[in-house]
Amino acid sequence: MKSQKKNIDRRSFLRTSALAGGGMIIGFNLFNACKPKVKPAIDISKLNFNDFNGFIKIADNGMVTIFAPNPEIGQGVKTSMPMLIAEELDVSWDNVHVVQGGLDMDVFQRQVAGGSQSIRHGWEPLRQTGATTKQMLVNAAAAKWGIDAKECSVENGIISNKKGEKLGYGEVVLDAAKLEVPKDVKLKDPKDFKIIGQDVQNVDVDEIITGKPLFGIDFKREGMLYASVMRPPAFGQKLVSFDDAEAKSKEGVVDVFQFGDKIAVLATSTWIAMQAKKSLKAIWKEDTTLESTEDHDKILFDLLAGNKFETLRKDGDISKAFKEADSVLERTYESPFLPHNCLEPMNFFADVTDKKVELVGPIQTPAGTANRIAKELERDIKDISLEMTRMGGGFGRRLYGDFAIEAALISNIAKKPIQVLFSREDDMADGIYKPAIKYKISAAIKDSKVTGYHLKEAAINSNMYGLISNFFPAGAIENYQVDIANYKSNITTGAWRAPYTNFLAFAEQSFFDELAETMDVDKIQLRLDLLQNVKGTTDERIQYSPERLEAVINEAVEKSNWGKVDKNTYQGFSAYYCHNTHVAEVADVVMEAGVPVVKKVTCVLDCGIVVNPLGARNQVEGGVLDGIGHAMYGNLEFKDGVPQSTNFHNYRLVRMKETPKVEVHFIKNEIAPTGLGEPALPPASAAVANAIKAATGIRITKQPFINASEKIFG
């Protein structure tokens, strides 16, 4: 592999000498985006390590501590990102200790868990950091021996020369701290990887299974109070007044007060706070129309039938294509609101004083949340510190930080350290939901070819679709148009695992199966033929690779034994590109007591180099099961602004006995890694729907499947 031309200078690679006990700490900018105002310290003995958000610490005994910078929501970056550093640092993973880093907005520009982008963005910078550190240590050893650094080799943290002399990293770490940062580093060829590509156990697994405090809900501080918040019971309501006499009379209740349109109850325990909240008597008024699911259905259907669209992409002339078509296929697909239902409900700790604002908890967007809190409190961002805990699920819900802002506002009023904790009912009733969406897809067929394709979207609070108009089949059909229409609702909506594509993949991949049936052509071959039209394209808007998508399709056909299974097994196919990754899936369905049951899903992905295969397989399996479970059962309805599901007794999730086997295969190549936490989810539901169609003859166009057809599920 050629030497990298991007240099790591003192602005993106700061190092200092020992802490107590000896050693070297090296701070680095993960994404080569260190801001100009960050300057190297001259007096390294006085360097404030909190100024950096990612560090390598090398102790005298050669042990290495790597500080993981990005939020950990179960996607495995606390393990995989340090693996990149350790690989190029050339140390044994057994000698690496991983610690969660804190927020640092001066150095890093993407300290975020979202969009399956952490490894993709960190791939080169993290490896450069490890390689640069190694080179500094080698240079120090070479200077000790009085030889050229090129005469040295490294293995597992031990530097050797041709004479057979050896020095451990810990023996040269202090000397290395005095050297200049190398301007050019050579990264390993993938064939030489020893850590990347190996199964590595989650670094937190021992703490997780033994119940050690890792999550925000575990955080405790002496003198901390617990806050339970009463929020408007319906979206669109405002607080008029409340009676807190009964709540305040309960033993353990410290305070009750209003902030905005919410009421905070502070107590000495979570249980006391939650029980006292139930005794509050509040009066609410409607500030706007209180919406119901029936209202949303009508609004979205009216939008699809209307002409108030924003066009995201328009190729050719779809009007002409449809006028000249031999036949036209048109279908409408529907999906409901969905809550996130993270295993760990929303929570956050805040201690707001005149001198500082200390925040601790599970958050996917630490920088954005800290900035919002600074604005709310009218404080300098420098007053705010934010410590990230491991998250018991995120899926987009923890992008928004509303719960952290609540904690900061309550602490600011109470002048005490507090922890806000949602109950499950709070979590579901005051969510930021996946928006309800309806798609209308039309295709023009002329001379046995698809000559026109028109995708219309009508959504609640969701008009940020951008790149999806450039996913497949963009570029594959001459006359192609994507239009969106949006209804602004007072119900809060936002990102939900695999935003935008989580339902669009179901709609489009179901449509392509039906299109193939209408044209009387092979379903998979139709997709492959369309991909041929994209090969060699010069259209820079196209986001996917036709070659890579074709490869996962062909591999899925082979690995799933497509078309060669026994007569009692019915198969459904789906292929999709999102989060920079290409995926193909095949679902195997059998009929049991007249009901289709998903037995197996074969999933093939091209996500580039797989950093940690063990973690990668877990992500894919989870994504597939999540996609199937919510498509089959997930549904949140509203009545006059009130969510009708408040806990798991009336919100259906997939159960253990209903989960199919998931067989995972990765395309092997040496391409830089792409997303993995989300791409397996979108195509899963279409593969199952297409298999159900093969088994029952009934086409499902509406989620959840369980409500879609009584003929199928009774």
Side-chain angles (χ1 to χ4, degrees):
M1 179 174 284
K2 296 180 180 179
S3 296
Q4 304 299 305
K5 297 304 181 184
K6 293 182 179 179
N7 297 332
I8 299 183
D9 60 18
R10 289 183 179 273
R11 287 183 175 176
S12 60
F13 194 95
L14 301 172
R15 79 276 193 282
T16 184
S17 57
L19 293 177
M24 175 172 67
I25 284 186
I26 300 174
F28 56 92
N29 177 1
L30 289 181
F31 308 115
N32 279 341
C34 194
K35 300 175 184 177
K37 68 177 180 178
V38 180
K39 297 180 180 179
I42 298 175
D43 184 358
I44 60 176
S45 67
K46 296 181 180 179
L47 184 62
N48 179 359
F49 297 112
N50 289 327
D51 287 343
F52 307 97
N53 113 330
F55 301 92
I56 299 173
K57 177 182 176 182
I58 302 175
D60 287 345
N61 64 0
M63 290 296 294
V64 177
T65 298
I66 299 177
F67 291 76
N70 278 30
E72 174 60 70
I73 53 176
Q75 81 280 41
V77 295
K78 190 176 177 182
T79 303
S80 54
M81 295 182 88
M83 286 174 66
L84 304 182
I85 299 170
E87 178 66 71
E88 296 291 348
L89 187 58
D90 227 331
V91 292
S92 169
W93 185 252
D94 292 336
N95 291 336
V96 172
H97 179 58
V98 177
V99 176
Q100 178 66 61
L103 171 65
D104 190 322
M105 290 181 286
D106 285 334
V107 178
F108 306 113
Q109 292 190 353
R110 196 187 184 278
Q111 201 173 1
V112 173
S116 300
Q117 298 297 298
S118 295
I119 291 296
R120 179 171 175 256
H121 281 273
W123 171 248
E124 185 176 297
L126 288 172
R127 292 171 59 217
Q128 286 178 333
T129 296
T132 303
T133 305
K134 180 177 77 172
Q135 190 61 55
M136 291 175 69
L137 294 161
V138 169
N139 290 348
K144 252 186 180 182
W145 289 324
I147 61 176
D148 192 306
K150 293 179 181 179
E151 298 178 37
C152 301
S153 60
V154 179
E155 185 171 0
N156 291 333
I158 304 296
I159 307 166
S160 305
N161 63 27
K162 294 180 179 179
K163 295 180 181 180
E165 297 172 304
K166 299 180 184 295
L167 287 170
Y169 279 175
E171 297 176 88
V172 296
V173 64
L174 296 180
D175 293 323
K178 302 171 186 176
L179 302 179
E180 291 297 318
V181 177
K183 293 185 178 180
D184 291 291
V185 294
K186 183 179 180 181
L187 300 184
K188 287 185 178 181
D189 190 293
K191 67 180 176 57
D192 297 323
F193 288 160
K194 297 177 181 178
I195 296 175
I196 295 173
Q198 300 302 310
D199 286 345
V200 173
Q201 193 176 65
N202 186 315
V203 294
D204 286 336
V205 68
D206 290 338
E207 286 80 3
I208 291 172
I209 63 177
T210 57
K212 296 294 192 306
L214 278 173
F215 300 89
I217 204 169
D218 299 324
F219 186 80
K220 300 291 184 290
R221 172 69 57 79
E222 186 175 351
M224 177 178 81
L225 296 177
Y226 298 84
S228 185
V229 178
M230 175 176 276
R231 304 169 182 86
F235 287 92
Q237 286 185 331
K238 299 290 185 181
L239 180 62
V240 176
S241 63
F242 66 98
D243 180 352
D244 59 6
E246 185 179 347
K248 282 186 172 180
S249 70
K250 294 184 180 296
E251 185 177 354
V253 172
V254 176
D255 202 357
V256 179
F257 54 79
Q258 179 179 351
F259 67 109
D261 284 301
K262 304 174 184 179
I263 308 166
V265 178
L266 273 61
T268 54
S269 76
T270 301
W271 176 254
I272 293 173
M274 288 182 174
Q275 292 307 302
K277 182 180 70 173
K278 293 179 181 179
S279 67
L280 291 172
K281 298 176 178 64
I283 298 175
W284 310 87
K285 71 174 181 179
E286 285 73 50
D287 185 59
T288 184
T289 302
L290 302 183
E291 302 166 7
S292 299
T293 295
E294 292 79 6
D295 302 323
H296 296 145
D297 283 341
K298 183 178 186 306
I299 289 166
L300 295 182
F301 277 125
D302 286 347
L303 284 174
L304 284 180
N307 56 10
K308 295 181 179 179
F309 289 97
E310 176 187 353
T311 298
L312 297 183
R313 176 165 175 151
K314 183 177 183 180
D315 298 344
D317 187 339
I318 60 166
S319 296
K320 181 180 179 182
F322 280 96
K323 285 179 182 178
E324 296 177 352
D326 296 329
S327 61
V328 171
L329 177 66
E330 181 176 283
R331 291 290 180 268
T332 298
Y333 302 88
E334 306 173 61
S335 72
F337 285 94
L338 291 178
H340 290 83
N341 284 332
C342 305
L343 184 61
E344 177 193 19
M346 301 303 107
N347 66 88
F348 225 79
F349 169 85
D351 186 8
V352 180
T353 67
D354 292 339
K355 294 183 178 180
K356 64 179 177 61
V357 177
E358 183 184 3
L359 306 167
V360 183
I363 187 69
Q364 292 179 242
T365 51
T369 299
N371 275 308
R372 289 176 64 193
I373 289 173
K375 185 177 180 180
E376 288 280 353
L377 299 181
E378 297 182 345
R379 298 287 292 263
D380 192 315
I381 189 64
K382 294 179 181 178
D383 293 343
I384 296 177
S385 67
L386 191 153
E387 178 184 338
M388 292 173 283
T389 62
R390 191 179 180 96
M391 289 173 252
F395 314 111
R397 176 62 181 91
R398 288 188 160 99
L399 288 169
Y400 301 98
D402 50 295
F403 45 92
I405 295 171
E406 283 186 353
L409 292 173
I410 294 170
S411 177
N412 188 49
I413 294 170
K415 302 302 178 186
K416 297 179 184 297
I418 66 100
Q419 182 188 61
V420 165
L421 179 62
F422 285 38
S423 66
R424 178 59 61 193
E425 287 79 7
D426 293 334
D427 207 40
M428 292 189 70
D430 196 58
I432 297 179
Y433 311 102
K434 172 188 171 293
I437 300 176
K438 299 188 190 301
Y439 289 112
K440 180 182 287 186
I441 308 177
S442 306
I445 304 166
K446 176 73 173 178
D447 297 331
S448 300
K449 292 183 179 180
V450 183
T451 57
Y453 188 91
H454 194 186
L455 170 65
K456 292 182 178 180
E457 171 199 279
I460 303 290
N461 290 346
S462 188
N463 58 354
M464 305 175 292
Y465 275 59
L467 294 179
I468 64 166
S469 58
N470 298 316
F471 291 179
F472 181 79
I477 300 169
E478 183 179 0
N479 303 293
Y480 172 84
Q481 187 164 322
V482 176
D483 294 328
I484 62 171
N486 180 58
Y487 171 72
K488 293 184 179 180
S489 169
N490 50 46
I491 295 173
T492 52
T493 60
W496 191 93
R497 192 173 187 176
Y500 322 135
T501 60
N502 46 45
F503 178 62
L504 177 59
F506 164 77
E508 291 197 302
Q509 287 298 303
S510 297
F511 184 79
F512 273 108
D513 252 37
E514 192 162 0
L515 184 59
E517 293 169 4
T518 301
M519 298 171 65
D520 194 25
V521 297
D522 183 83
K523 298 167 185 175
I524 294 178
Q525 193 59 48
L526 172 63
R527 294 166 169 90
L528 292 173
D529 288 344
L530 288 171
L531 285 173
Q532 305 313 306
N533 299 334
V534 194
K535 289 183 178 180
T537 182
T538 57
D539 186 346
E540 295 182 354
R541 297 172 297 171
I542 300 298
Q543 300 298 307
Y544 63 95
S545 162
E547 292 83 6
R548 296 175 76 176
L549 190 54
E550 180 181 60
V552 296
I553 290 173
N554 289 331
E555 186 79 356
V557 168
E558 178 184 342
K559 295 298 185 182
S560 68
N561 203 26
W562 176 262
K564 300 176 183 177
V565 292
D566 65 78
K567 64 179 182 179
N568 296 318
T569 299
Y570 302 89
Q571 293 184 303
F573 177 83
S574 178
Y576 206 69
Y577 163 89
C578 68
H579 299 87
N580 310 104
T581 292
H582 303 76
V583 186
E585 298 181 18
V586 174
D588 289 2
V589 164
V590 299
M591 298 298 292
E592 295 182 356
V595 175
V597 177
V598 187
K599 289 294 186 180
K600 176 183 173 184
V601 176
T602 303
C603 185
V604 177
L605 306 92
D606 183 348
C607 59
I609 294 172
V610 179
V611 175
N612 181 4
L614 175 62
R617 288 192 296 273
N618 290 338
Q619 285 298 298
V620 174
E621 290 170 2
V624 169
L625 297 179
D626 199 8
I628 293 173
H630 279 91
M632 290 286 292
Y633 308 112
N635 186 32
L636 183 66
E637 296 186 346
F638 290 85
K639 180 67 175 177
D640 295 328
V642 179
Q644 297 302 287
S645 298
T646 57
N647 209 317
F648 296 135
H649 71 288
N650 60 2
Y651 184 82
R652 180 80 154 82
L653 291 171
V654 65
R655 292 164 183 147
M656 290 289 289
K657 65 179 181 180
E658 296 165 335
T659 58
K661 175 184 178 182
V662 180
E663 187 177 287
V664 182
H665 303 275
F666 296 104
I667 299 290
K668 294 183 179 180
N669 55 44
E670 295 185 358
I671 302 172
T674 53
L676 197 56
E678 295 164 288
L681 183 148
S685 56
V688 170
N690 289 336
I692 290 174
K693 170 60 167 62
T696 67
I698 298 173
R699 170 64 60 189
I700 296 175
T701 59
K702 184 177 182 178
Q703 295 185 4
F705 296 173
I706 198 74
N707 294 343
S709 176
E710 293 183 1
K711 293 180 180 179
I712 299 177
F713 300 105

